Amino acid sequence: MDEKTIKNTPEEAVENTSLPDDSSVKDDDAALDSFLSREQEDKASSKKPMKKSRKTLLIIIGAVVVIAILVAVLIFVNKQPGVTQDETAQPADITQSVNDDGVHEAAVVLDENGKLLKDGAGVLLEYATADIEKIDVENESGSFTVISSTPEDGSTVYTIKGYEDYDLQSDIADEIATHSANIDFIRVIKLDADLAEYGLDHPRATVNVQFKDGTSAVIRVGNEAAGEAGTYISFGTTDTVYLVSNENVENFLFSINGFISLSVTDPNEDSDNAAFSTMTISGTNFDEPITLVPNTDEALEAAYLVTSPVSTVADAIEAGDVAGNIRGLHADSVVCVNPTAEHLETYGLSEPYATVKASYPDTDITLHASAPDDNGVVNLYNPDKNIIYTIQLAAVCWAKTSIDLLMPENPLPAKLRYVSAIDFSDGSSDYSIDVKTVVEEVTDDDGNEQESYTSTASYNGKELKEDDFNVFFQNLQAIKNLGKAQGSGSSPVMSVTLTYTTDRSPDTLKVYAGDSTNYIMELNGVTIGTASKSYIDNLIKGAQNLIESKTVESL
């Protein structure tokens, strides 16, 4: 919550200040006479000692000036409004009463001369929270009402009127009830005070507590005291000012948004509900909607697939971040509850920068995000909860993703055991390699059943060296996407088609000439990025070595 400017004005309380006694004054005079006598003697003897004596005198005078300044500062500080610390302050004597209007009052007991002798801690009001009927709070952000209800055979529950259907932050309404039923203070600041000096002529909050016995209590919250010593309040109808701890009144200063839970979406309670079946991302930040689905094809080493606007394996890291930023989201703040169309426009959500729709086994989730501000903060709207929140853009990766970021880092993440053929072309020669895999069930040392597979490859009926073929296939898997491609090529310098033993359609990667360092890659007819020219050239050389029964180097 925003800190308020504190008015520091003199207080009429007088602090005990120790003054020097007569004996100390006489001792000081004697010391000065002795010093002056010695100075005269020094003048008669030589000039050099005289200079030393003058220097000593100046030091003493300077020290006296410094001490005087410090004393003045202490006196000034102690005259600021009622926040001096007094370890010996005695607990205040307080009489509690109820006036003719049923309002609780508190009066500080004075001595026979009508003066305050005990200004320490005390209690203004003592009730059980279950005795509260309702609490009306009006502050600089608006107003709200806390109401209580006690179900049969249950404990009293406190809710915010009109917001019963919204999840509140844990126990926050209970805390308001606690601080409304029991009002303790740290110190009595002033009787018959000028309330304006303490921000109580226009309180930051006014609290009206209605009890089940028909009585009520009024608390007004003023400024914070200097040095975070506490907050000034008044109680009932008197002009007496008290100092209370900040935590006792902080909830009275909240706006209604401060009570709403910051949970944007619920986490999945069951691991079976963790994975979405489909996710679509759209909005003004996207030329076309992007659709992601989990990969269910065992032939690929991939968690997610992009199915539109292109069909490709999704980058593992980017897709994982996108998928992980939907369930269990926790916002930084609540900015609007039950927004109108005007509110949505104000917060940049009438035409969202990004919208995500994800379907899970147990629920469907839709979220809208505004464009980020200069600090990377977006407004996030959950239409199911009808609340607008603020959250860091980094916490909602789906709002800043793109089809380029979702392009796979490794365009051919195939599992060898599910590959039946590899058709390879280097632009001038074509090779068709047949692959056969034998799968066996084996038992490990712990008695667990596991699958073991062996893959062999042949070209024109001739079996290729197993080690060299395995290295060649690993080099295919390791082709790395270096980023967005500029332009496209006319004829490929390399082409690879993988055919599978599963129902998956063949994947074809074509590589075209690009600039002096990178080639352009196209997967299944869609340009996906670039690859290192030297890597592709070495891969082509490795394919030729494989066919010629030469050693294939790992890249």
Side-chain angles (χ1 to χ4, degrees):
M1 66 191 74
D2 296 332
E3 294 184 358
K4 302 298 180 182
T5 303
I6 301 170
K7 296 181 180 179
N8 291 324
T9 55
E11 184 191 9
E12 295 179 0
V14 179
E15 300 295 327
N16 292 326
T17 305
S18 297
L19 299 174
D21 57 24
D22 292 338
S23 61
S24 64
V25 173
K26 292 177 180 178
D27 289 343
D28 290 342
D29 292 342
L32 182 58
D33 291 341
S34 177
F35 176 83
L36 294 174
S37 297
R38 288 197 303 273
E39 185 182 28
Q40 295 301 321
E41 294 175 1
D42 290 339
K43 285 182 179 180
S45 59
S46 67
K47 295 180 180 180
K48 188 173 183 179
M50 179 181 66
K51 291 181 180 179
K52 181 177 180 181
S53 297
R54 287 177 177 174
K55 182 178 181 181
T56 304
L57 180 59
L58 290 174
I59 292 173
I60 292 175
I61 293 173
V64 171
V65 171
V66 170
I67 292 172
I69 292 173
L70 290 174
V71 170
V73 169
L74 289 173
I75 292 173
F76 175 78
V77 170
N78 287 336
K79 286 185 177 181
Q80 297 308 299
V83 218
T84 54
Q85 300 298 321
D86 187 354
E87 300 293 338
T88 63
Q90 297 181 351
D93 289 335
I94 298 291
T95 60
Q96 299 174 356
S97 62
V98 177
N99 66 21
D100 293 341
D101 295 324
V103 178
H104 285 271
E105 303 281 10
V108 182
V109 177
L110 307 177
D111 65 9
E112 61 275 11
N113 297 318
K115 293 187 177 182
L116 173 65
L117 292 181
K118 299 178 181 181
D119 64 352
V123 177
L124 299 175
L125 187 68
E126 293 179 281
Y127 263 87
T129 54
D131 295 330
I132 293 176
E133 183 175 291
K134 71 171 184 173
I135 307 165
D136 293 313
V137 179
E138 183 177 353
N139 59 34
E140 295 169 336
S141 298
S143 61
F144 59 87
T145 299
V146 177
I147 55 177
S148 68
S149 60
T150 306
E152 293 183 7
D153 301 327
S155 58
T156 302
V157 177
Y158 300 94
T159 57
I160 307 297
K161 185 178 180 180
Y163 295 86
E164 293 84 357
D165 295 334
Y166 293 90
D167 294 331
L168 303 182
Q169 294 190 42
S170 177
D171 299 329
I172 199 163
D174 291 355
E175 290 181 14
I176 292 178
T178 297
H179 295 308
S180 298
N182 297 275
I183 305 175
D184 303 329
F185 62 86
I186 301 171
R187 183 178 165 189
V188 180
I189 296 299
K190 196 171 185 181
L191 306 177
D192 298 322
D194 179 359
L195 297 182
E197 293 184 10
Y198 303 93
L200 288 163
D201 55 334
H202 299 290
R204 289 193 292 159
T206 300
V207 183
N208 192 312
V209 189
Q210 301 290 326
F211 296 100
K212 294 178 181 178
D213 62 7
T215 64
S216 64
V218 179
I219 309 114
R220 298 176 183 84
V221 180
N223 293 335
E224 280 192 39
E228 299 182 354
T231 298
Y232 301 118
I233 70 164
S234 63
F235 178 77
T237 61
T238 71
D239 290 339
T240 301
V241 175
Y242 306 88
L243 185 71
V244 301
S245 65
N246 291 334
E247 66 179 12
N248 284 353
V249 296
E250 61 184 0
N251 290 337
F252 298 148
L253 303 173
F254 281 8
S255 70
I256 189 63
N257 294 337
F259 299 109
I260 304 299
S261 171
L262 298 176
S263 176
V264 180
T265 54
D266 298 328
N268 56 286
E269 301 295 339
D270 190 331
S271 59
D272 293 338
N273 299 324
F276 58 85
S277 58
T278 184
M279 177 196 301
T280 300
I281 305 168
S282 60
T284 60
N285 188 41
F286 304 91
D287 294 332
E288 298 178 88
I290 299 172
T291 301
L292 279 175
V293 298
N295 173 42
T296 58
D297 194 327
E298 57 186 353
L300 299 178
E301 289 279 6
Y304 301 98
L305 304 176
V306 177
T307 60
S308 66
V310 298
S311 178
T312 181
V313 172
D315 179 77
I317 295 177
E318 181 69 14
D321 288 344
V322 168
N325 286 173
I326 299 177
R327 301 206 73 159
L329 278 180
H330 196 76
D332 297 330
S333 67
V334 172
V335 296
C336 188
V337 179
N338 194 22
T340 63
E342 184 178 358
H343 289 135
L344 293 176
E345 183 174 0
T346 298
Y347 292 109
L349 292 162
S350 57
E351 294 183 6
Y353 178 79
T355 293
V356 64
K357 296 182 179 181
S359 296
Y360 296 86
D362 61 331
T363 188
D364 292 332
I365 294 176
T366 297
L367 298 172
H368 304 289
S370 69
D373 64 15
D374 293 340
N375 296 315
V377 176
V378 303
N379 297 317
L380 186 65
Y381 177 47
N382 184 339
D384 288 336
K385 293 191 174 184
N386 209 16
I387 299 173
I388 300 176
Y389 310 83
T390 63
I391 195 169
Q392 293 291 323
L393 178 62
V396 285
C397 292
W398 46 266
K400 63 184 181 71
T401 193
S402 68
I403 194 62
D404 291 326
L405 291 174
L406 285 167
M407 288 295 100
E409 181 179 24
N410 303 111
L412 294 176
K415 297 178 184 177
L416 179 57
R417 63 175 293 181
Y418 296 107
V419 174
S420 63
I422 303 174
D423 294 307
F424 189 94
S425 174
D426 60 11
S428 59
S429 300
D430 298 330
Y431 314 103
S432 183
I433 301 172
D434 294 322
V435 181
K436 291 184 179 180
T437 299
V438 177
V439 180
E440 297 178 331
E441 292 287 340
V442 297
T443 304
D444 62 18
D445 295 338
D446 296 327
N448 299 317
E449 292 287 336
Q450 292 185 340
E451 286 187 345
S452 174
Y453 68 91
T454 303
S455 297
T456 59
S458 61
Y459 171 68
N460 288 340
K462 179 183 176 182
E463 187 170 325
L464 302 174
K465 291 182 180 180
E466 181 179 350
D467 290 344
D468 289 325
F469 172 72
N470 287 335
V471 171
F472 170 71
F473 188 78
Q474 290 167 6
N475 289 340
L476 282 178
Q477 291 177 310
I479 295 173
K480 188 173 183 179
N481 187 350
L482 300 180
K484 188 174 182 179
Q486 299 293 333
S488 59
S490 56
S491 59
V493 297
M494 186 191 82
S495 176
V496 181
T497 298
L498 301 183
T499 304
Y500 303 95
T501 59
T502 66
D503 294 335
R504 179 172 180 77
S505 299
D507 286 315
T508 298
L509 178 70
K510 292 184 179 182
V511 179
Y512 297 87
D515 56 30
S516 60
T517 57
N518 294 330
Y519 284 149
I520 298 171
M521 291 193 296
E522 180 185 279
L523 181 64
N524 298 329
V526 177
T527 301
I528 63 169
T530 59
S532 165
K533 179 179 182 298
S534 62
Y535 188 96
I536 297 301
D537 290 344
N538 288 327
L539 183 62
I540 292 172
K541 180 64 176 176
Q544 294 168 348
N545 287 344
L546 177 66
I547 298 303
E548 296 172 5
S549 299
K550 296 179 181 180
T551 301
V552 179
E553 299 292 339
S554 176
L555 302 179

Coordinates of all heavy atoms in Angstrom, one line a residue, residues 117 282 320 382 460 513:
L117 N -0.7 11.1 33.6 CA 0.5 10.6 34.2 C 1.0 9.2 33.5 O 2.2 8.9 33.5 CB 0.4 10.4 35.7 CG 0.2 11.7 36.5 CD1 0.1 11.3 38.0 CD2 1.4 12.6 36.3
S282 N -4.0 -17.4 -30.0 CA -4.3 -16.4 -31.0 C -4.3 -15.0 -30.4 O -3.8 -14.8 -29.3 CB -5.8 -16.7 -31.5 OG -6.7 -16.6 -30.5
G320 N 7.4 -26.5 -23.9 CA 7.2 -26.9 -22.5 C 6.9 -25.7 -21.7 O 6.1 -25.7 -20.7
N382 N -9.3 -13.6 -16.7 CA -9.9 -15.0 -16.7 C -11.4 -14.8 -16.7 O -12.0 -14.4 -15.7 CB -9.5 -15.7 -15.4 CG -10.0 -17.1 -15.4 OD1 -11.0 -17.5 -16.1 ND2 -9.4 -18.0 -14.6
N460 N 21.1 -51.4 -51.5 CA 21.1 -52.3 -52.6 C 21.4 -53.7 -52.2 O 22.2 -54.4 -52.9 CB 22.1 -51.8 -53.7 CG 21.7 -50.6 -54.4 OD1 20.5 -50.2 -54.4 ND2 22.6 -49.9 -55.0
A513 N 20.5 -24.0 -50.7 CA 21.6 -23.1 -50.6 C 21.1 -21.8 -50.0 O 20.1 -21.3 -50.4 CB 22.3 -22.9 -51.9

